Amino acid sequence: MSASLSTASPSASGRAESWQDTVSHAFVPMTVDFLEAVPSPGEIVSHRLGPVWISRVQAGPQVVTRSRRMIAAGDSPSLILSIQERGTALKEQDGRETLIRPGGFSISDTSRVFRKKLEEEFAFTSFHFPRAELDVPEKDLWALTATAFDGTEGSAALLTAYLSQMARTADGLDEAVGRRVAATALDLLVLFIDDRAGRARPQGSRTAASFERVKDHILRNLRDPDLSPSTIAEANFMSVRLLHKLFQLEGATVGGWIRAQRLERCSRDLLRPMAGELGVAGIARRWGFANSSHFTRAFRAAYGMTPRDWQVGAHLARRTG
């Protein structure tokens, strides 16, 4: 779902009223106070992917406030993550205030009072995440509001890179793909929140669910010799860096996990009747090993013997057993 809202009214009063309605419709009810005598035209272009709303906003100087009265109206709580693209924003919430510069991002919680002051023409892209979709402790969210995050390092870089790509491609995604993309965005936001809190995410979390989806994709494509981190990441709508990060959190690597799964299946097939017909090289190719010499070296490293010795040992064990 997409929507484009703009204020092109020729009169200042009409433009101000229209923008007030536009902002509240795109996000949550908020008050807009303009910092120029004649409000500049503004535009908000929004897309919805699953439960996530993406909005690119550009306008002139203004102050936006979310008051207690508006919160009391009872709309569903959400987090709004905004990536600043042009101009600076002074954010205030939970007793803190910080300046967000281009390239950085910040988070606001709509269940509590906040204020955002933009003293020059600006542009930013916001991601509106329903609070109910985020399985994170409330205290962790309190620690994140009105804080400037640098989108160039660590989990913050992973988050901003993915969200920026998500915003650029949102208009061309169908509903089913959009939901999968949004699910990964939620996973990555939870990963970022946990990282800021200084802990790994327990099993059963959204991050663990993403990891399980990736492993399922790999297992369904083990026979493909071209399976690689880039093809896996593309199929699961995530960056290669995020893919590696998910495996690192589990104490593994992408390549190592794929190799172990392939070797396990090869070891089983080597002991089956098909082994005589396919041969060692054929079984290796069957499970994605394009080079038989590489397969033999990997098998020896994992099992302490060559594939043929594995077959002979199993045959002797059956005869003497």
Side-chain angles (χ1 to χ4, degrees):
M1 174 186 283
S2 301
S4 181
L5 304 169
S6 64
T7 54
S9 171
S11 71
S13 60
R15 187 175 294 165
E17 182 179 353
S18 175
W19 185 248
Q20 170 76 61
D21 293 340
T22 297
V23 169
S24 294
H25 178 77
F27 296 97
V28 290
M30 292 185 281
T31 299
V32 179
D33 295 309
F34 293 97
L35 300 179
E36 51 187 352
V38 179
S40 301
E43 181 181 47
I44 300 178
V45 179
S46 298
H47 305 282
R48 184 174 183 176
L49 299 181
V52 180
W53 275 100
I54 306 167
S55 298
R56 188 176 191 275
V57 185
Q58 52 185 352
Q62 58 192 262
V63 178
V64 179
T65 305
R66 171 80 164 161
S67 67
R68 288 186 176 85
R69 178 179 59 81
M70 293 172 172
I71 295 169
D75 44 72
S76 299
S78 60
L79 291 187
I80 301 176
L81 186 153
S82 299
I83 302 175
Q84 198 72 20
E85 298 168 4
R86 189 173 71 249
T88 57
L90 181 66
K91 297 287 289 290
E92 301 175 30
Q93 191 169 32
D94 298 329
R96 293 184 296 271
E97 71 173 35
T98 190
L99 194 64
I100 315 300
R101 295 182 171 83
F105 71 91
S106 60
I107 294 173
S108 299
D109 189 329
T110 66
S111 68
R112 299 190 297 282
V113 172
F114 67 80
R115 183 173 181 267
K116 183 174 185 178
K117 186 176 184 180
L118 303 126
E119 296 187 296
E120 56 191 325
E121 288 191 357
F122 65 87
F124 62 80
T125 300
S126 285
F127 303 83
H128 195 136
F129 297 96
R131 179 66 181 84
E133 297 287 334
L134 295 165
D135 178 25
V136 292
E138 195 67 29
K139 64 181 179 63
D140 290 349
L141 300 183
W142 276 81
L144 297 178
T145 56
T147 301
F149 297 106
D150 181 358
T152 63
E153 296 182 355
S155 58
L158 295 175
L159 180 59
T160 53
Y162 186 83
L163 292 181
S164 296
Q165 178 66 17
M166 176 179 170
R168 286 192 292 269
T169 59
D171 191 38
L173 302 177
D174 63 32
E175 183 176 354
V177 173
R179 287 186 176 279
R180 293 175 63 188
V181 170
T184 299
L186 285 160
D187 293 341
L188 189 49
L189 178 57
V190 170
L191 177 66
F192 168 73
I193 293 170
D194 286 336
D195 184 43
R196 294 293 300 184
R199 66 169 178 276
R201 193 69 179 167
Q203 292 296 320
S205 68
R206 298 193 65 96
T207 304
S210 279
F211 188 53
E212 291 304 315
R213 285 198 301 270
V214 168
K215 289 195 296 185
D216 178 68
H217 171 81
I218 292 173
L219 294 177
R220 286 186 284 105
N221 292 274
L222 271 180
R223 298 175 188 268
D224 182 1
D226 295 324
L227 187 67
S228 68
S230 60
T231 62
I232 297 166
E234 181 179 3
N236 287 275
F237 306 100
M238 62 178 62
S239 68
V240 173
R241 290 180 67 188
L242 173 57
L243 176 67
H244 286 301
K245 180 70 172 179
L246 289 174
F247 275 84
Q248 288 170 11
L249 290 173
E250 299 291 329
T253 65
V254 181
W257 198 83
I258 293 173
R259 184 169 56 253
Q261 300 305 312
R262 284 174 167 166
L263 288 171
E264 180 182 338
R265 284 151 183 78
C266 286
S267 70
R268 293 201 298 256
D269 284 359
L270 285 167
L271 305 183
R272 291 173 176 166
M274 69 174 69
E277 181 180 346
L278 292 176
V280 171
I283 289 173
R285 287 193 299 272
R286 186 170 187 260
W287 289 108
F289 286 101
N291 184 291
S292 58
S293 296
H294 170 68
F295 165 66
T296 298
R297 289 194 299 271
F299 195 95
R300 184 195 293 273
Y303 293 91
M305 62 183 74
T306 66
R308 294 194 185 281
D309 289 342
W310 175 264
Q311 289 179 300
V312 171
H315 179 68
L316 291 175
R318 283 196 296 267
R319 289 185 59 184
T320 58

